[in-house]
Amino acid sequence: MRSRLFRSILLLACAATTVTAADWPQWRGPRRDNQSAETGLYRTWPAGGPKVLWKTGVAEGYAGVAIQAGRLYLNDYDPVKKEHVVRSLSMADGREVWRWSYAVDIRPNHGITRTVPTVSDKLVFSLDPKCRFHALDARTGKLVWQKNLVQDYKATIPSWYAGQNPLLDGGRVVLATGGDALVVAFDQATGKEVWRSPNPGKDVMSHSSLMATTIGGVKQYLYLTMNKVVGIAAADGQILWSTPFVARMAAVPSPLAIGDGRVFVTSGYEAGSTMIQVEKGASGFTAKRLFDLTAAEFNSEVHTPILHQGHLFAVGSKKRGCFSCVGLDGKVVWQSPAVSGDPAGSRTFDLGGFLLADGMFFAVDGKSGMLRLIEASTTGYKELASAQVLSGEDVWGPLALADHKLVLRDMSQLVCLQVGPPVAGR
């Protein structure tokens, strides 16, 4: 009896060590790769789906959330008062801890909100739909500093409003403003400009976000404008290299560093995809194309792909909505089933969001709000569970995961689901 009891206690202790929880302090998570380090998540769901912990109403839009230390942060809009709103909610019960707002008239244009706040230990950084940039105290919501990018840098408000997500790097917060500068680095604490990149092409702000990487021993930020991909020195903002890539209508996904100097770029509206090789030589950096993919072969319209086990995973837009696994040679390995005339047998996702955690993809059907749990396999599509958790069309916002809680939204509500065992003290 004592031996069996000891073995049971030991097994429970070992199981407990495999459960990890983590924050999600910015768009695409801690490493900006759309992957969570959390483990111990449920691999099956009951018939009714994961437990709904709480719901709250939100304004029309696609803005996802950032999560830090038990607090959730969200860019929102009050259509009655006509105010941009930054909200802080408790992850435990959805209770609003604070809100900060200011008056600005924003009319719906395929939604209103798109950007995700970025959170440091002390501050929350929020870019509003009309390119006003704010730093708030994360604990109280008090305004610390602000910038009007249109006035200060002659930024152009993108079609369908701003969709870029601020990047934190050391003591700096970095944004691609367009206008008088391509990219600007600000001191996080004071908002003082640290450096600005030249903008000889007079590029305007796109919906793409900056991605940090190191190539040839030089730290740099990758950025997709409407007509090219650029590498910008993190140290001083100088443009290290650029190569043409024509986005059409909107440049939304961000360039993805693959390793060994390779960068994968994709965009919607027939733009297709390309793999770029960036190298550092005696005279500086060069960039050349390794291969191109037409939109019929593969492209992503809204969400940046996930790099996992030497493959790219994303929802393709030409075969609109097929969840796809693509090799680093550009060849499609598999796609989720899309059976003509058989909706029940099809597994399509429109432009829905997705993330990777504990060897599984959480992916939302952007047309219906159906959430699917998919094995993170490089050999084929394997669905583990599904549940109807949201409703309506245009369910396109990015997902967030922290403390075994998945947060996602549709055009009118934000929902928090328990997707793993409750984490003690979180």
Side-chain angles (χ1 to χ4, degrees):
M1 178 66 71
R2 288 181 178 177
S3 176
R4 287 198 299 270
L5 179 60
F6 175 79
R7 284 198 300 269
S8 298
I9 294 172
L10 181 62
L11 286 171
L12 286 171
C14 291
T17 61
T18 65
V19 176
T20 58
D23 287 328
W24 194 272
Q26 61 175 334
W27 169 76
R28 287 177 62 86
R31 297 174 302 278
R32 226 166 164 91
D33 60 2
N34 218 18
Q35 302 183 41
S36 169
E38 295 203 352
T39 60
L41 303 179
Y42 299 137
R43 298 183 65 82
T44 60
W45 298 334
K51 180 181 178 181
V52 177
L53 296 177
W54 51 264
K55 299 180 181 180
T56 188
V58 291
E60 177 182 343
Y62 314 103
V65 306
I67 305 168
Q68 178 95 315
R71 294 269 192 95
L72 174 153
Y73 300 90
L74 170 71
N75 289 327
D76 206 355
Y77 187 73
D78 187 328
V80 176
K81 295 181 178 180
K82 298 187 182 301
E83 292 179 339
H84 171 69
V85 182
V86 183
R87 302 169 63 189
S88 175
L89 309 179
S90 166
M91 276 291 286
D93 55 14
R95 173 182 54 86
E96 188 166 281
V97 179
W98 57 254
R99 69 165 48 201
W100 177 86
S101 63
Y102 73 94
V104 55
D105 187 9
I106 305 176
R107 299 179 182 181
N109 184 5
H110 291 282
I112 296 175
T113 61
R114 281 170 172 78
T115 61
V116 179
T118 302
V119 188
S120 70
D121 290 340
K122 296 181 179 180
L123 298 173
V124 179
F125 299 92
S126 165
L127 179 64
D128 86 349
K130 291 193 172 181
C131 297
R132 298 184 189 183
F133 188 43
H134 308 92
L136 308 174
D137 185 290
R139 187 177 61 85
T140 66
K142 181 181 178 181
L143 179 67
V144 177
W145 56 263
Q146 61 183 327
K147 302 285 181 181
N148 186 323
L149 302 184
V150 175
Q151 292 180 2
D152 298 343
Y153 295 95
K154 296 183 174 62
T156 299
I157 299 170
S159 300
W160 306 314
Y161 303 125
Q164 185 183 170
N165 305 288
L167 171 67
L168 299 188
D169 189 16
R172 302 170 181 175
V173 55
V174 193
L175 276 176
T177 61
D180 286 345
L182 183 59
V183 174
V184 180
F186 301 98
D187 179 83
Q188 286 187 32
T190 65
K192 181 181 178 181
E193 182 181 310
V194 178
W195 54 250
R196 67 171 65 188
S197 295
N199 190 14
K202 300 301 179 184
D203 289 293
V204 298
M205 180 189 292
S206 72
H207 291 89
S208 183
S209 296
L210 295 163
M211 302 286 271
T213 190
T214 299
I215 300 175
V218 179
K219 188 171 186 179
Q220 51 195 273
Y221 305 134
L222 307 177
Y223 182 56
L224 175 62
T225 74
M226 287 298 294
N227 55 38
K228 60 180 172 288
V229 190
V230 296
I232 299 152
D236 58 11
Q238 293 304 304
I239 297 176
L240 300 173
W241 58 269
S242 68
T243 191
F245 181 90
V246 179
R248 302 179 183 182
M249 293 290 290
V252 184
S254 296
L256 185 65
I258 302 299
D260 300 324
R262 290 171 295 171
V263 178
F264 184 77
V265 185
T266 186
S267 192
Y269 303 100
E270 306 296 324
S273 307
T274 189
M275 184 75 82
I276 300 165
Q277 179 71 58
V278 181
E279 295 180 336
K280 183 177 183 292
S283 58
F285 284 88
T286 59
K288 64 179 181 181
R289 292 184 180 227
L290 297 179
F291 62 80
D292 294 305
L293 301 175
T294 67
E297 292 172 310
F298 176 78
N299 71 334
S300 178
E301 188 170 321
V302 173
H303 298 283
T304 305
I306 293 175
L307 175 64
H308 176 62
Q309 294 184 349
H311 291 73
L312 299 168
F313 294 84
V315 174
S317 64
K318 184 61 181 180
K319 246 187 166 174
R320 197 170 193 181
C322 284
F323 197 81
S324 305
C325 172
V326 181
L328 297 184
D329 57 1
K331 295 180 180 178
V332 176
V333 178
W334 60 257
Q335 291 183 315
S336 60
V339 184
S340 179
D342 183 15
S346 297
R347 294 294 183 267
T348 56
F349 298 84
D350 190 55
L351 300 179
F354 50 88
L355 61 75
L356 174 63
D358 202 11
M360 301 174 290
F361 291 102
F362 294 81
V364 179
D365 181 350
K367 280 190 174 180
S368 69
M370 176 73 74
L371 177 65
R372 300 189 187 277
L373 191 63
I374 306 165
E375 187 80 46
S377 169
T378 59
T379 59
Y381 179 88
K382 181 182 178 182
E383 188 171 301
L384 303 175
S386 64
Q388 188 72 51
V389 298
L390 296 169
S391 61
E393 297 184 349
D394 297 352
V395 187
W396 299 346
L399 286 63
L401 176 68
D403 304 335
H404 291 186
K405 300 169 184 177
L406 183 71
V407 181
L408 61 168
R409 64 166 296 161
D410 56 26
M411 293 293 272
S412 63
Q413 66 176 340
L414 187 74
V415 179
C416 181
L417 307 176
Q418 187 78 55
V419 294
V423 179
R426 302 282 287 191

